[in-house]
Amino acid sequence: GERAATHFEMVDNGTSCTITIADRVGSFKGMTDNRTYSANVRLAAAPASVKVDGADVAFTYADDFAKFEIGVGKVAEIVYSA
């Protein structure tokens, strides 16, 4: 059958974590033009900031998870607390 796939990559350099969302590959009947995403990332401590495509976004941190909206963004950066 028809399908579409999206590749996610997460890289941690010790001071920040970057999540990159690749372009969708493939298609199927009824597929939406734009897909929105939410993130729920396990972290050892609350982040200092979260950005999506370079802009600060609101986030919550509870029970070792940072939660935030990526929307239709392509790159999210989580900067760890100092």
Side-chain angles (χ1 to χ4, degrees):
E2 298 174 332
R3 65 183 175 147
T6 304
H7 178 79
F8 291 76
E9 179 181 53
M10 185 169 155
V11 176
D12 187 327
N13 69 13
T15 59
S16 68
C17 170
T18 302
I19 301 168
T20 304
I21 303 170
D23 290 335
R24 192 170 30 186
V25 176
S27 64
F28 56 89
K29 185 177 180 176
M31 184 173 88
T32 61
D33 289 337
N34 293 308
R35 180 102 191 247
T36 61
Y37 296 97
S38 299
N40 191 17
V41 182
R42 186 178 184 114
L43 300 172
S49 66
V50 176
K51 295 182 181 214
V52 173
D53 291 344
D56 287 322
V57 295
F59 65 90
T60 60
Y61 181 79
D63 300 322
D64 297 331
F65 285 91
K67 297 178 183 181
F68 57 95
E69 295 298 317
I70 296 174
V72 295
K74 292 293 183 184
V75 178
E77 181 183 22
I78 303 165
V79 177
Y80 303 134
S81 299

